[in-house]
Amino acid sequence: MIETDELLSIRAAELYYEENKTQDEIGGVLRLTRWKVGRLLAQAKANGFIRIEIVHPRARRLPVERRLRDATGLTDAIVVSTAGVSGDDELQSRTAQAAADYLTSLRPIPRTLGISWGRTLHDVSVHLAPGWASGVNVVQINGGVSLNKRPGTAATTAVTIAQKAGGAATLLPSPAILERLETKRAIESDRAVAAVLEMASGASAFLYSAGQADENSAHVDSGYLHPDQVTELVRKGAVGDIVGRYIDSNGNIVDPALDERTVGIRLDQLRAATTAIAVISGRSKHPVARAIVGSGLCTVLVTDEDTANAILDDSP
Amino acid sequence: MIETDELLSIRAAELYYEENKTQDEIGGVLRLTRWKVGRLLAQAKANGFIRIEIVHPRARRLPVERRLRDATGLTDAIVVSTAGVSGDDELQSRTAQAAADYLTSLRPIPRTLGISWGRTLHDVSVHLAPGWASGVNVVQINGGVSLNKRPGTAATTAVTIAQKAGGAATLLPSPAILERLETKRAIESDRAVAAVLEMASGASAFLYSAGQADENSAHVDSGYLHPDQVTELVRKGAVGDIVGRYIDSNGNIVDPALDERTVGIRLDQLRAATTAIAVISGRSKHPVARAIVGSGLCTVLVTDEDTANAILDDSP
DNA sequence: GCATTTCTCGCTCATATGAGCAGTCGCAAC
DNA sequence: GTTGCGACTGCTCATATGAGCGAGAAATGC
């Protein structure tokens, strides 16, 4: 009889959801009372036979967001749906859009926003609507000006975000990683740089993304690291980088010597922040995402459904 | 504003379908009246942003069935859902199950059921429940006893269906295709064979499947045709075979000479039948399916969603 | 074989929802 | 200006649906 009931619940669901019949009408067709039909329908839902999907680029997955918040202690989680997504680019774009939306609705409005740079952050800047806020000053929180392939993208990102909020952008005029420790110390003590770093430390909110640790890393692309160096970092346990610093799956610095030569705010500063928004999407970034969330490097995560599920599968 | 409304309708849908909030509550969250929320939800549905799927092996697609009936003039159409299907085997199995269900609920119960043989029909016989009907006699409608790889499957199919209905099976003791026309004439005039063929002609319902026209055809497998012969048939426009006869996309016999040597009921007999149930599933059979439905070779089609859509895309 | 527990059914009642309608606003033509 | 049209809003009212309840059936334990 349990078998029969399951089949009946499917027949009822077909009539209810696909033919838009009322439960009473279905009762007529299947020779059941309308209460029985209601129960069958409830059963079909409970068994997971009814799948409802919201197919839209801006759709979010609220239940996943909640589970993420509950499981990880994040202040907030934004999870975009992957339903109907065509490729990695679209996923990235959806996530960036969601980050832009989140930033726009963020209260209190940050007076100073510290940002990193990269493909993702650039996308976010593009998706922000002009006038998304007013009087927000933007400051870069890690180095990396000149060596980029397309020089100036890092700067453009910061400037765009600031401009659209009617605020000023403060750039960090320093490479991401220096070759010698002394040079790094020297540049850090330079007035221009020190002032920016101080401003960055005092930002009321941070927005950053993460890079994977492999030959496609932005650091390799822009010449700060040699592919072999990345391989070596991976061997030591690196899963990716945030604000230029390579971390392992526990969120710890992988190579302290290298890290010492990296210009930008430190991870403990990020951990201490009231609002640190990480924007991460794509299969290849699941490991970094896990590390970041697991070690409290962000208070807010903006990501895609798959990444969120990867984190959830991991944590309990 | 139209942009904003679309986004709002998505937010409303998230809260309604994923968080199970009432429209009133959603109104509270989004600062809208509950009527506005209702309208946004209706809009989201109308725009196709809400996709509801019934995920179950026995799920059917009633709207597609109706469109099929309307577009083709079939008496009945059974379309199984492909949602969550893992492979071709499962699709085949789901379709066979549906055919078995249809047969079980068929009214009036046929006194004599004419059947073909093959993988699909075998599957149907397996899925039929014992006692699915009472007193139904089964008769084979095309030849093909001995040459099979696993001799006896054709017979087993017929016997199983009959047995489970408490009736008798009548086998057609003849090869599917004979090498010489005279032999075919001779065997047809043999009392044993002629009697079966006559019984087949008078069956109150027919149940058959179709084969694709390529090197995987059952006729090649069982040695009735050489792969080259099939290639030649394809060159002449063959899209597949039903009850052993190769047809083109218009449902016409491709090779009259070959057809003359094929033992079984003729296509015009099938076309004249009150109830002729075709069971067809799988990508490779889309062309035959189109031909069969398009040329009125069946009154009832049991198939999968993809095949149904292929037929629908074709017809208007 | 009987008592007890658990399920299931059909119901009442409260609530959620959709249809339809009148009022209002913005806009354009006169 | 004003008059008419169309889109939209917030309402009333009818209907569809879900929660909860008590009676009886079925399963379980003794």
Side-chain angles (χ1 to χ4, degrees), chain B residues 105-271:
Chain B
S105 66
L106 185 64
R107 292 296 115 88
I109 297 175
R111 280 178 42 81
T112 308
L113 177 68
I115 64 160
S116 72
W117 52 265
R119 159 92 196 275
T120 304
L121 263 283
H122 176 75
D123 272 14
V124 174
S125 78
V126 170
H127 280 109
L128 274 169
W132 67 271
S134 53
V136 175
N137 292 311
V138 175
V139 56
Q140 287 184 327
I141 58 178
N142 59 328
V145 193
S146 49
L147 282 177
N148 275 324
K149 266 189 180 159
R150 287 161 297 163
T153 32
T156 313
T157 301
V159 170
T160 305
I161 296 180
Q163 226 164 35
K164 287 186 173 173
T170 307
L171 305 179
L172 179 59
S174 158
I177 303 173
L178 299 175
E179 290 180 343
R180 301 195 318 128
L181 184 53
E182 297 87 85
T183 326
K184 188 259 193 174
R185 293 244 166 88
I187 207 167
E188 258 184 357
S189 57
D190 181 276
R191 277 267 288 289
V193 171
V196 177
L197 283 174
E198 180 152 342
M199 189 175 178
S201 319
S204 32
F206 296 98
L207 178 72
Y208 67 93
S209 185
Q212 70 255 46
D214 60 25
E215 64 288 352
N216 297 319
S217 154
H219 282 137
V220 173
D221 244 31
S222 39
Y224 287 116
L225 291 178
H226 190 269
D228 294 349
Q229 287 181 283
V230 176
T231 312
E232 176 64 11
L233 284 166
V234 171
R235 206 189 52 74
K236 285 183 182 163
V239 293
D241 79 280
I242 72 171
V243 292
R245 304 178 188 277
Y246 281 84
I247 59 174
D248 62 21
S249 60
N250 296 316
N252 296 322
I253 293 297
V254 173
D255 181 339
L258 174 69
D259 199 66
E260 269 294 294
R261 294 188 278 112
T262 306
V263 178
I265 62 165
R266 297 183 316 274
L267 298 191
D268 58 291
Q269 294 179 296
L270 223 40
R271 286 205 176 87

Side-chain angles (χ1 to χ4, degrees), chain A residues 5 33-36 39:
Chain A
D5 257 23
T33 62
R34 69 190 180 80
W35 296 283
K36 179 72 180 170
R39 280 173 185 133

Side-chain angles (χ1 to χ4, degrees), chain A residues 261-274:
Chain A
R261 293 189 278 110
T262 305
V263 178
I265 62 165
R266 299 183 315 275
L267 298 191
D268 57 293
Q269 294 179 296
L270 222 41
R271 285 204 176 89
T274 329

Side-chain angles (χ1 to χ4, degrees), chain A residues 2-306:
Chain A
I2 182 95
E3 246 293 302
T4 317
D5 257 23
E6 182 169 314
L7 195 50
L8 265 181
S9 76
I10 295 302
R11 296 282 155 262
E14 286 162 2
L15 293 164
Y16 192 71
Y17 291 105
E18 303 204 318
E19 300 285 80
N20 299 313
K21 288 198 189 298
T22 137
Q23 298 186 3
D24 213 2
E25 288 176 302
I26 297 171
V29 176
L30 301 179
R31 308 180 170 282
L32 301 165
T33 62
R34 69 190 180 80
W35 296 283
K36 179 72 180 170
V37 175
R39 280 173 185 133
L40 286 172
L41 250 21
Q43 207 183 303
K45 268 193 215 166
N47 287 332
F49 297 148
I50 314 296
R51 185 158 70 205
I52 302 184
E53 250 183 359
I54 303 171
V55 190
H56 192 281
R58 304 284 281 267
R60 283 164 49 186
R61 302 299 323 276
L62 305 185
V64 185
E65 294 183 358
R66 189 169 17 174
R67 269 186 288 146
L68 247 193
R69 276 197 305 269
D70 292 352
T72 62
L74 286 169
T75 307
D76 224 331
I78 311 295
V79 176
V80 301
S81 163
T82 59
V85 94
S86 62
D88 235 42
D89 277 359
E90 192 184 347
L91 200 64
Q92 172 98 357
S93 158
R94 284 188 180 192
T95 311
Q97 175 67 260
D101 289 347
Y102 184 78
L103 213 51
T104 305
S105 67
L106 185 63
R107 291 297 115 88
I109 297 176
R111 278 178 43 81
T112 309
L113 177 68
I115 64 160
S116 71
W117 52 266
R119 160 92 196 275
T120 304
L121 262 284
H122 176 75
D123 273 14
V124 174
S125 78
V126 170
H127 281 109
L128 274 169
W132 66 270
S134 52
V136 174
N137 292 310
V138 175
V139 56
Q140 287 185 328
I141 57 178
N142 60 328
V145 193
S146 50
L147 283 176
N148 275 323
K149 267 189 181 160
R150 287 163 297 164
T153 31
T156 312
T157 302
V159 171
T160 305
I161 296 181
Q163 226 164 36
K164 287 186 174 173
T170 307
L171 305 179
L172 180 60
S174 159
I177 303 173
L178 281 307
E179 290 182 342
R180 303 194 317 131
L181 184 53
E182 297 87 83
T183 326
K184 190 257 191 176
R185 294 245 165 89
I187 207 167
E188 257 183 359
S189 57
D190 181 276
R191 277 266 286 288
V193 171
V196 177
L197 282 174
E198 181 155 340
M199 190 176 177
S201 316
S204 31
F206 296 98
L207 178 72
Y208 67 93
S209 186
Q212 69 256 45
D214 60 26
E215 64 287 353
N216 297 317
S217 156
H219 283 136
V220 173
D221 244 31
S222 37
Y224 287 116
L225 291 177
H226 189 271
D228 293 349
Q229 287 180 283
V230 176
T231 313
E232 174 64 12
L233 285 167
V234 170
R235 205 190 53 74
K236 286 183 182 164
V239 292
D241 79 281
I242 72 171
V243 293
R245 304 176 188 280
Y246 281 85
I247 58 173
D248 63 20
S249 60
N250 296 317
N252 296 321
I253 294 298
V254 173
D255 181 341
L258 174 69
D259 200 66
E260 268 295 293
R261 293 189 278 110
T262 305
V263 178
I265 62 165
R266 299 183 315 275
L267 298 191
D268 57 293
Q269 294 179 296
L270 222 41
R271 285 204 176 89
T274 329
T275 308
I277 308 163
V279 187
I280 307 171
S281 79
R283 186 79 236 253
S284 59
K285 295 191 177 168
H286 289 187
V288 221
R290 270 195 285 255
I292 291 171
V293 173
S295 65
L297 281 162
C298 67
T299 62
V300 177
L301 176 67
V302 182
T303 192
D304 63 82
E305 198 175 342
D306 293 345

